[in-house]
Amino acid sequence: MITGELDLCEVNLINAAMVRQAQGQMLDEATATRLADLFQALADPTRVRILSALWVGELCVCDLAATLGMSQSAISHQLRTLRQLGLVRRRKDGQVVYYSLDDEHVSGLFSQGLEHVRHQTDMP
Amino acid sequence: MITGELDLCEVNLINAAMVRQAQGQMLDEATATRLADLFQALADPTRVRILSALWVGELCVCDLAATLGMSQSAISHQLRTLRQLGLVRRRKDGQVVYYSLDDEHVSGLFSQGLEHVRHQTDMP
DNA sequence: TGAATATATGAGCATGCATTCATATACTAG
DNA sequence: CTAGTATATGAATGCATGCTCATATATTCA
């Protein structure tokens, strides 16, 4: 058992070689944060429902609000989040703003996540 | 322009047919919540780093703590979250508990998310 | 048995976030 | 220009969550 060489914590090491290997493999802080931010965008039921509603095609804000049964303001705030992460696209037509799915990766993430969720039989 | 038929909000509809279609396509509340919970598990830099560290193979709690440079308590709390969502597996050997990746969907989600993040050139 | 070590966990705290409310902006119609 | 409508957004609020600290549990070793 080897004493930790990190000054950040006083934890002991079980397998120093594995730790070094893991440190090399592990995502750096910045990349981990950006990846976490992406998943964070999908980590809310309202945003998930918005994205699944946009599957049928572009929808304007008020139709999205009606579809979800939520206020225009709440939907608009969430669309801002989705837009900032590049998951939805805007198209303005007069005073109506249409939103649609922007990223092809989203569909992959979405279906893969759904597959995971639907294969879970023991979830509460 | 048709007045909304939902009593939940007083929003007007632009395209009632699209709204009905979107309502049929949209994930139901329960499924959306479970999907959001899954993504929530990946929506934290610490958990992302833990999962990417476990890519090299199973690691015990204190080696994970050393790898991330964080306290044993913080890591243990996060591992609990990951375990409850079925993303990591436990193996106890004496007083040491080894964790490893549990779900094959995780790797898919992970790499797809990474691909998204790495193709973004305009992110801050 | 008793000391040491690895892990788990409850409480407390600080921060983040989803919604509401009020209001601002932008466009259209008259 | 004025009224009306669609959307955006800042402030406030209630709730969730990540970390620390202290401590409990479990296992090993002497």
Side-chain angles (χ1 to χ4, degrees):
Chain A
M1 199 159 311
I2 304 135
T3 307
E5 58 232 82
L6 293 168
D7 51 325
L8 283 149
C9 71
E10 64 295 335
V11 169
N12 294 321
L13 301 182
I14 300 296
N15 187 337
M18 279 291 278
V19 168
R20 276 190 297 274
Q21 194 184 343
Q23 281 176 332
Q25 169 69 43
M26 184 175 56
L27 294 179
D28 64 286
E29 181 74 45
T31 305
T33 299
R34 281 171 55 181
L35 188 50
D37 285 345
L38 168 63
F39 287 124
Q40 178 74 33
L42 304 169
D44 177 82
T46 298
R47 287 193 290 271
V48 164
R49 292 170 78 212
I50 288 176
L51 293 172
S52 67
L54 290 178
W55 220 258
V56 304
E58 65 177 14
L59 286 168
C60 68
V61 178
C62 73
D63 281 357
L64 270 172
T67 301
L68 300 213
M70 293 179 62
S71 76
Q72 174 268 323
S73 179
I75 299 296
S76 196
H77 276 292
Q78 297 291 20
L79 286 171
R80 189 186 199 218
T81 300
L82 293 171
R83 184 156 40 88
Q84 283 175 340
L85 273 139
L87 301 186
V88 298
R89 191 185 2 242
R90 285 172 75 149
R91 180 178 72 84
K92 200 165 182 182
D93 182 18
Q95 46 185 344
V96 181
V97 178
Y98 290 95
Y99 282 84
S100 54
L101 299 177
D102 188 14
D103 198 294
E104 73 280 1
H105 294 304
V106 180
S107 63
L109 284 175
F110 226 81
S111 49
Q112 209 132 30
L114 254 186
E115 195 180 338
H116 175 94
V117 162
R118 289 194 163 135
H119 281 66
Q120 295 223 332
T121 53
D122 51 313
M123 285 277 291
Chain B
M1 197 161 313
I2 304 135
T3 306
E5 57 230 85
L6 293 167
D7 50 326
L8 282 148
C9 70
E10 65 294 336
V11 169
N12 294 322
L13 301 182
I14 300 295
N15 187 336
M18 279 292 278
V19 169
R20 277 191 296 274
Q21 195 185 341
Q23 282 176 330
Q25 170 69 43
M26 184 175 55
L27 294 178
D28 63 287
E29 181 73 46
T31 305
T33 299
R34 281 172 55 180
L35 189 50
D37 286 345
L38 168 64
F39 286 124
Q40 178 73 31
L42 304 169
D44 177 81
T46 299
R47 288 193 289 272
V48 164
R49 291 170 79 213
I50 289 176
L51 292 173
S52 66
L54 290 178
W55 220 259
V56 305
E58 64 178 13
L59 287 167
C60 68
V61 178
C62 74
D63 281 358
L64 271 172
T67 301
L68 300 213
M70 293 180 62
S71 76
Q72 174 268 322
S73 179
I75 299 296
S76 197
H77 277 294
Q78 297 291 20
L79 286 170
R80 187 184 200 221
T81 301
L82 292 171
R83 184 154 41 88
Q84 285 176 339
L85 273 138
L87 301 186
V88 297
R89 190 186 0 242
R90 286 173 72 147
R91 180 178 72 83
K92 199 166 183 182
D93 180 18
Q95 47 185 342
V96 181
V97 178
Y98 291 94
Y99 282 84
S100 55
L101 299 177
D102 188 15
D103 197 293
E104 74 280 359
H105 293 305
V106 179
S107 62
L109 284 175
F110 226 82
S111 48
Q112 208 128 32
L114 254 187
E115 196 180 338
H116 175 94
V117 163
R118 290 195 163 132
H119 281 66
Q120 295 223 333
T121 53
D122 51 314
M123 285 276 290

